[in-house]
Amino acid sequence: MRRAALALGLLAALAACDGEDPVDAALRDAAAARQAEALKVTGESEAPKPDRPALSADQVWVEATIRDHRKAIAEAEEMLAKTDNAAVRDTAEEVIATRKREIAQLEALRPGAGPAE
């Protein structure tokens, strides 16, 4: 009976665990929250103004994504200052390098930045 109870407890614990890496889940949730905030802010701040033409959907997306990436860089830099965990540091450094490259690509898509590839 005791073995059966232990086996059921183990099965319940395994069923509750979805096998997802908690770091990946936290990064995904944080990115989703930042994206939702960027979209909310973009919707409010990009309303047409008499002295400025309305932005295209492409331009709104580029600007929101650049803002999102800059926030991700700031958060990763903050994490580098707080942690000694090698895996977290490696991930934060990778996030910084990747987002900087992506910001450069996105800035090239801005009007007047030159021909898009």
Side-chain angles (χ1 to χ4, degrees):
M1 185 68 168
R2 189 171 183 196
R3 278 187 166 169
L6 181 61
L8 285 175
L10 182 59
L11 284 174
L14 288 174
C17 176
D18 62 2
E20 184 174 21
D21 181 4
V23 173
D24 288 342
L27 289 171
R28 184 195 64 242
D29 293 345
R34 284 192 309 272
Q35 185 66 22
E37 184 62 27
L39 291 174
K40 184 175 103 180
V41 169
T42 301
E44 295 167 358
S45 65
E46 297 303 334
K49 296 182 175 123
D51 60 334
R52 190 173 90 195
L55 296 176
S56 71
D58 294 345
Q59 292 168 320
V60 170
W61 177 80
V62 166
E63 296 306 317
T65 305
I66 288 172
R67 275 192 307 274
D68 179 57
H69 283 15
R70 287 183 177 147
K71 288 178 187 177
I73 289 169
E75 290 173 5
E77 288 171 341
E78 185 177 326
M79 185 50 61
L80 284 174
K82 292 180 178 180
T83 188
D84 292 326
N85 182 312
V88 172
R89 291 186 68 78
D90 289 346
T91 301
E93 289 169 351
E94 183 179 328
V95 165
I96 291 167
T98 301
R99 296 303 177 266
K100 284 183 177 181
R101 276 194 313 274
E102 291 172 349
I103 287 172
Q105 292 172 336
L106 290 163
E107 286 176 338
L109 298 175
R110 284 177 165 162
E117 294 182 24

